[in-house]
Amino acid sequence: MRRIEALVLLSTLSTGIFAAESSRPRGVSPEFAKFYKDTESFTCISNPSIKLKPEQINDEYCDCPDGSDEPGTAACTYLSSLSPPQPISSIGKPNTTLALPGFYCKNKGHIPSYIPHTYVNDGVCDYEFCCDGSDEWAGVGGTKCEDKCKEIGKEWKRLDDIRQKSARNAQKRRVELVNEAQALRAGVEIKIGRLEQEIKVQEGKAEELKKKYEEIERRERGRVVQTGGGKASKVTILAGLAKARVEELRESLVKVTGKRNALKEKVKELEAILSTFKEEYNPNFNDEGVKRAVKSWEDYAANKVEEDESAEDRDLEEISKPDTESEGINWAEWETEDEESDVDALYKFEEYLPTQVRSWVHQKLTDLRILLIENGILADNANSGTESKAVTDARSAFQTVNDDLGIKSSSLGDLRNDLEKDYGPDDIFRALKGTCVSKDSGEYEYELCWLDQTKQKSKKGGGHTGMGNFVRFDRMVVDEEVGADGKGLGKGERLVLVYENGQHCWNGPNRQTTVVLACAEKDEVWKVVEQEKCMYRMDVGTPAACEEGGKKEKGEKKDEL
Amino acid sequence: MRPSSTLSNTWTALSIAALCLFTPAVSVKHENFKTCDQSGFCKRNRHYADKATGLGSQWEAPYRITPESLSWKNGQLQGTILKTINTAGETVNLPLTISFLESGSARVTIDEEKRQKGEIALRHDSKARKERYNEAEGWAIVGGLDLSKAATEERDDSRSIITYGPEGKFQAVVTFAPFGIDFKREETTQIKFNDRGLLNMEHWRPKVENPAPEVKEGEEAPPALPDAEDESTWWEETFGGNTDSKARGPESVALDISFPGYEHVFGIPEHAGSLSLKETRQSSGNHQDPYRLYNADVFEYIMDSPMTLYGAIPFMQAHKKDSTVGVFWLNAAETWIDVIKEKEAHNPLSLGIGSKTDTKTHWFSESGLIDVFVFLGPTAKEVTKAYGELTGYTQLPQEFSIAYHQCRWNYNTDEDVKDVDRKMSKHQIPYDVIWLDIEYTDDKQYFTWDPLQFPNPIGMLEQLDQSERKLVAIIDPHIKNKDGYHIVEELKKKDLAVHNKDGNIYEGWCWPGSSHWVDCFNPAAITWWKGLFKYDAFKGSMANLFIWNDMNEPSVFNGPETTMPKDNLHYGNWEHRDVHNINGMTFHNATYQAMLERKKGEVRRPFVLTRSFYAGSQRLGAMWTGDNQASWDHLAAGFPMIINNGIAGFPFAGADVGGFFGNPEKDLLTRWYQAGAFYPFFRGHAHIDTRRREPYLAGEPYTGIITQALRLRYALLPAWYTAFHEASVNGTPILRPHYFEYPADETGFAIDDQFFVGGTGLLAKPVVTENAESVDIYLPDDEIYYDYFNYEKYSGQGKVTVAAPLEKIPLLMQGGHIIPRKDRPRRSSGLMKWDPYTLVIVLGKSGSATGELYVDDGETFGYQQGAYIHRTFEFSNSVLESKNIATKGKLTDKYLKTMKTVGVEKVVIVGAPKEWAEKSSVKAGKEDARLEYHAEEGKNAAWAVVKAPKVLIGEDWKIEF
């Protein structure tokens, strides 16, 4: 089953050369048939100086240093860089690179295939390569391998149809994903355009409001005392602000207390875990790390002082209660404005003047004041809190617009960054971001969230454990099985998502996950393995990893035998 | 040596220094294990020795035979030794039996009459037995006890002289007062008992309450009154917070055994140290403590130490020029052995060559009998053979089990196992067995599988079976104490567990937490245990699953010295103290019995690996040297340990390849595989906290080099299996040290870093040091030696330098041998069964060569009924002949029929004579076969090859050159 690609390749090869079949020695493929045609003698394929008698082909003795005289036996298998070196039985400096890719199984009724020569006549029917059982032609030790090509072929065809269909669906889905991604991208671009427009408008507005505000403020600065407002309003403002502030602080306090309580629980839980750990750990078998951990725990436990926090808790509870008339601060008292005092009236001397004179005087005085202020002679009272409503309004109008502008600019920045960001080939992961797939495997349930994080959850209880946060795309050459259902990474270069800096591993590194992708119809985690302590690999199928137009994944090539 | 060695040494020194600085001393917790000073009887006996030595000739040993008690019958001398126990002259009776065996071995047994008769009182209402433990024989000895008919005794007033052994060449001279025995061979004394007067049998005595203050742990004992015995360790001993109640008081036994004229003693495994044992008492550079035998789970053990390890074989060989003798101290209790060597220089002119060294040993055990076997050789082969007649020879293993084992703590899931299996195949790396450590179980409950991680064990086993591969799963003696676990419930219900001193089921801690220990001294426990391994009982097991017994010292995490309290009670109410060193073997034995027939009618050779062992464990499977470390010194320590185990009768031994703790650098891993290819038991293993290190992960060039080493092992499997067969019939070690093969060559006596592989003439010295580019190999004779890989010639006698870059294993072929091989690489050894052989004829100076081959089905007991091929190959006068040396049996013909297709594909003649240059064919059987000759090239010898001679491995034939 794992020879799918090889099979496909061979099937195309074999069709043209079908004619030569009958005359080929055992184990020779049509591709190499030409070397075995001579009926007078045989020439070692990669060592033309060595000529053999035809009966030396497949005579169970390896004569050619390239193994070409034994296409149908295992006699030349010792010729390998993986075997212990030995002087080769040949004169001169022979070419010892193996000339043949393997033993050729015709597999009539199915697809021809090569099987490694080391598998020939070893007593095992290797149907995954040789459905016709021809690898065990000698029947060593009574081995009989019946021809199963018909049923295997049929089953293969059935599965191949499914695979093909699935591959087509995968392609379709990929196209959909690309379109979705494009749409999302376009959406972002539109948003950017819109934002840019809005920002432009807002900028104009802000400019205008700023001017207005400055003008008003300039004018207001000259006023000695505002009409109305005054002290009383200062207090009310303060009260309002204070109230808001207190509310805010109170909310924070409630939140913090909650968090503290949760953490306390956690500490308790951890302490319980650690004391059990201390009880149960094996003083003789565990390593330095364990010993250190136990020691530190003992120290920690010894230094720990149990504090009575009930009083503090009661205080906190008291403070956390909302203010009412009877409890805390009665804001109502402070928020209502008092009557104007008589003293204030005295300052409004201008009101005693005739109207024209009054406005003239006022203008002059104001100008003078501004002049004095601008020359640093008189103190500026604009900041003294006695700001007029006009200034406040103007400023707040300006600030509102300006704030909005800030938000918009930053959104724009985000969107622009998002456009720049690597979403993989064809931007395709834009369509997947925010979605997750999970997989039940052994003791754990694993979850992969695209471009976000990987997690594991033990079935034996406990929370999620972060296995890493997405950091980047990568590529990796793999050589893995492909199941009959077409699931599996196969062989070649694959797209990889690298997740790093997950939860720290006890006595190990921070968890990390290498997510290796292969083309599939659906998003599916096929396999999760802990390759090293806390370093995981997920083999994942997704249409997002399919190559454009259904061409093979990069680096795809015939499986070497 | 080479100039670069200084540099590399400096670097090593520096890196060691760096290690010391940065790693908190990674080594054994010494405080967990007793020194002699902390072991009461060790201290007492050493003190006794000091006293006797101090007094010199004034020392009067208080043991004498009463001549009138003696009787001689059927090769056995019986009598009574009187021990004088006080100045008043009171004595106790110690029955003595000296047996002379048909094999030429002698046995001396001393017991205590009062204990035999049960006339003693035990303290604390103890339920323990009153006798001295006398059942060690039942576990260790399986034969060879027939008494000699030819032995004769002569006696006078002062001594008795027994003449025995082959052709009456041996004599035992028993002196009555003080008691002592000299064992002679051809008039020369070889072994002396009680020569130094250190015989000591602490007789039973009631506790007399005297005002001596209690000694608390850690405090110095108050100085004993002059002349009064120090009783502080008699009645109670506390160590590591655990108090031993010692209901029988002091009861140790001790004897000094001297080897006059013998400079080297070997054996008494298991210790991490040199083959030739070091002195333990005098001068610097030696050990401070005696060699200790008290099976224990020693965490991160240290090098070059007499400290105890996981197993114990109290069998020692002494060797001098042309003579090997041995003693076997059959006692299962904690035992210590002091070794001293004394140079005798009677003639000052003969200093050096003529000076004679005596090795004197002093053995003491905490309880039990004095029961010692004496072997007088004169060759090492005869000594190991005689020892094996008693304790059994090594099991003829399943053939797969001498191939490569891939282990790790842990392969996490069944899919993980299958994945490793596929990857090994894909990378064309042969292996036979993949292993599962404790994590495969459901919550450390043996005989179960983790349902989440191993949901489909049968599917996993079936995939392995596809390429005739096997699985080994661990099963330990601690049984998890958990409600609902059927095994522990049966264990408790049937009362088959070890008991504590009060007679209740003992509870301790091990991997599963609270646990009980199955008591395999109990026959009923063995019967029960056997039932647990049936395929229908151990669900998820099938025929290609085998077993690993670990932690059987027993290891008890919260026990004294990580094992059981000594006052625990075993079957028959023997104290754990009495049986401790045998305990591991009884568990191993129970599993062996269980694995014989897991399905009615399907009888197979078991394969069970054990960590703890005793004399006799060789009958049951393989052992490994426990938890070593990924460091060069541990790599180097492996061979002396394995060789030592081999000469002590247990050759099926290996060390964890790669080192259990820690991550080996790639060159270390590679070298370790090259070394491991020469371990009789060849397994890669790793701790759970280490990085994965399956051979295909190393990357090039390492993976390729490792694969070559593995394939070398596989190619040589026929030779290895033949060596195992030899060990299984006569006890000859598989890795043979120099003294064994060259008993007259004094230069070689202490060599323990190179060795011969069986009788193949392969001389190996795997590299065990960092950055080596070459090694010096010592050649013991003036034969021609050829490099295994390129036929480069070397000649002895003396040291030669052999190139050893990383990709090369220093391996020589000694002239005069014929080595059988199978060169075709397959996925597993099972798939090589039908492959043809290659015979390598290594011509010696004489122009001739011989070799042997043993073949059988590798898994059943059919060989016992003749289902095997056993042949010698002889090359002389230009004729190679294959001769049958098998004994025909009921199944011979049937077996030979199955082997009808298996032949010889080529015969390589290394050192081929020049005259053959013109030859192009030879007569092979009835037909002609082609011959190709390759002339000598530089240092590389000439060689020739006979191509496809078409002769069968199971038949007689000749090839005429």
Side-chain angles (χ1 to χ4, degrees), chain A residues 2 52-53 56 59-63 73-91 93 116-126 128-129 138 140-143 279-288 291-292 441-444 459-460 479-481 507 527 529-533 537 559 561, chain B residues 24-26 29 32 297 299-300 412 419 422-423 425-428 450 452-453 466-468 509 511 551 555-558 562 611 627 661 687-692 697 700 703-704 707-708 711-712 715 788-791 821 823-827 830-831 834-836 898 901 905-906 930 932-934 937 943 945-948 950:
Chain A
R2 61 179 133 136
L52 307 175
K53 288 180 209 142
Q56 282 177 272
D59 68 345
E60 287 280 359
Y61 187 84
C62 186
D63 290 291
T73 79
C76 288
T77 48
Y78 75 92
L79 295 171
S80 159
S81 62
L82 297 175
S83 281
Q86 57 174 291
I88 296 298
S89 171
S90 177
I91 319 293
K93 291 264 175 289
H117 279 114
T118 51
Y119 287 32
V120 174
N121 290 330
D122 62 354
V124 177
C125 308
D126 290 293
E128 58 185 300
F129 302 97
V140 294
T143 312
E279 289 302 315
E280 293 181 1
Y281 93 106
N282 163 10
N284 302 307
F285 288 86
N286 285 318
D287 51 14
E288 287 301 324
K291 288 179 223 162
R292 268 197 303 276
S441 172
E443 204 183 319
Y444 299 97
K459 290 176 191 160
K460 292 177 178 166
D479 186 0
E480 295 286 334
E481 306 290 307
N507 215 0
K527 194 161 115 185
V529 285
E530 191 175 356
Q531 291 188 303
E532 298 289 349
K533 194 166 185 182
R537 190 174 111 174
D559 210 342
L561 295 167
Chain B
V26 183
K29 274 191 167 179
N32 276 356
D297 181 355
F299 175 66
E300 291 177 347
N412 300 325
D419 188 52
R422 278 191 292 262
K423 292 215 164 90
S425 292
K426 177 181 256 165
H427 289 84
Q428 306 178 61
D450 185 315
L452 297 172
Q453 304 290 74
Q466 262 280 307
S467 40
E468 293 224 12
W509 282 73
W511 297 126
M551 315 296 278
S555 176
V556 181
F557 293 165
N558 60 339
T562 328
R611 189 169 72 183
D627 300 344
F661 294 112
H687 187 271
I688 196 165
D689 285 341
T690 62
R691 291 195 291 274
R692 287 277 178 130
L697 293 175
E700 293 308 337
T703 294
T707 308
Q708 284 187 350
R711 288 189 175 190
L712 174 68
Y788 180 88
F789 304 99
N790 60 16
Y791 311 152
R821 275 193 340 211
D823 280 358
R824 300 184 179 186
R826 299 292 195 183
R827 280 167 284 184
L831 300 185
W834 315 108
D835 280 342
T898 67
T901 56
E905 67 174 327
K906 65 186 162 189
R930 289 170 289 146
E932 189 175 284
Y933 179 82
H934 297 259
E937 251 182 274
W943 59 286
V945 57
V946 179
K947 301 180 172 184
K950 304 214 164 51

Side-chain angles (χ1 to χ4, degrees), chain B residues 714-792:
Chain B
Y714 276 75
L716 286 170
L717 279 177
W720 281 97
Y721 196 58
T722 303
F724 267 91
H725 172 258
E726 194 181 346
S728 77
V729 296
N730 63 20
T732 312
I734 289 161
L735 301 191
R736 298 184 190 164
H738 274 258
Y739 87 88
F740 213 93
E741 295 284 294
Y742 290 90
D745 177 22
E746 285 169 304
T747 319
F749 290 172
I751 292 180
D752 56 10
D753 56 357
Q754 61 177 63
F755 49 83
F756 292 93
V757 178
T760 59
L762 285 169
L763 176 59
K765 187 175 185 177
V767 174
V768 295
T769 52
E770 202 172 359
N771 301 324
E773 287 296 327
S774 70
V775 298
D776 287 349
I777 301 186
Y778 174 71
L779 305 181
D781 59 7
D782 60 357
E783 245 317 339
I784 309 169
Y785 288 76
Y786 303 88
D787 185 287
Y788 180 88
F789 304 99
N790 60 16
Y791 311 152
E792 185 174 342

Side-chain angles (χ1 to χ4, degrees), chain A residues 264-466:
Chain A
K264 260 190 179 170
E265 283 307 307
K266 271 223 166 118
V267 169
K268 249 198 208 159
E269 203 180 313
L270 280 174
E271 284 177 349
I273 290 170
L274 281 168
S275 31
T276 331
F277 163 64
K278 196 208 147 194
E279 289 302 315
E280 293 181 1
Y281 93 106
N282 163 10
N284 302 307
F285 288 86
N286 285 318
D287 51 14
E288 287 301 324
V290 180
K291 288 179 223 162
R292 268 197 303 276
V294 171
K295 177 75 175 54
S296 322
W297 160 244
E298 282 167 345
D299 294 345
Y300 166 86
N303 294 333
K304 198 183 163 205
V305 193
E306 282 298 334
E307 280 166 322
D308 184 3
E309 290 168 335
S310 55
E312 206 180 307
D313 285 347
R314 268 197 309 280
D315 289 351
L316 278 176
E317 199 183 324
E318 207 53 41
I319 298 168
S320 307
K321 281 182 187 154
D323 294 320
T324 61
E325 271 180 63
S326 51
E327 267 179 315
I329 306 165
N330 183 3
W331 292 107
E333 247 175 42
W334 299 90
E335 280 169 329
T336 21
E337 221 163 289
D338 279 338
E339 293 300 308
E340 233 174 73
S341 79
D342 298 338
V343 185
D344 286 336
L346 280 179
Y347 286 95
K348 301 176 182 167
F349 77 97
E350 283 174 20
E351 288 176 19
Y352 300 92
L353 298 172
T355 316
Q356 270 96 29
V357 180
R358 189 165 66 192
S359 65
W360 183 83
V361 167
H362 180 82
Q363 191 57 49
K364 285 297 155 197
L365 273 172
T366 306
D367 286 349
L368 173 66
R369 234 181 110 73
I370 290 166
L371 192 76
L372 289 174
I373 289 167
E374 285 176 349
N375 288 293
I377 295 163
L378 203 67
D380 181 2
N381 73 354
N383 296 331
S384 63
T386 59
E387 199 175 70
S388 76
K389 194 160 182 309
V391 176
T392 309
D393 288 349
R395 195 187 53 220
S396 109
F398 164 65
Q399 259 168 12
T400 309
V401 174
N402 200 39
D403 285 353
D404 184 50
L405 194 58
I407 290 164
K408 284 202 162 85
S409 308
S410 111
S411 307
L412 181 66
D414 288 350
L415 287 172
R416 279 179 176 152
N417 281 341
D418 187 63
L419 272 192
E420 297 284 299
K421 204 171 146 190
D422 188 1
Y423 276 97
D426 289 335
D427 224 22
I428 197 162
F429 285 93
R430 194 176 286 280
L432 289 177
K433 198 184 171 181
T435 62
C436 302
V437 258
S438 62
K439 154 96 175 166
D440 202 276
S441 172
E443 204 183 319
Y444 299 97
E445 191 187 320
Y446 294 92
E447 191 177 52
L448 161 71
C449 293
W450 297 108
L451 310 199
D452 184 11
Q453 57 169 331
T454 49
K455 284 183 279 191
Q456 130 191 108
K457 189 175 179 159
S458 172
K459 290 176 191 160
K460 292 177 178 166
H464 275 111
T465 304

Side-chain angles (χ1 to χ4, degrees), chain B residues 164 166-171 183-190 322-323 376 378:
Chain B
Y164 70 106
E167 295 149 37
K169 280 181 184 162
F170 301 164
Q171 267 189 346
F183 291 93
K184 298 183 174 183
R185 189 183 67 225
E186 292 174 318
E187 311 296 315
T188 312
T189 301
Q190 310 290 341
D322 283 327
S323 175
L376 294 180

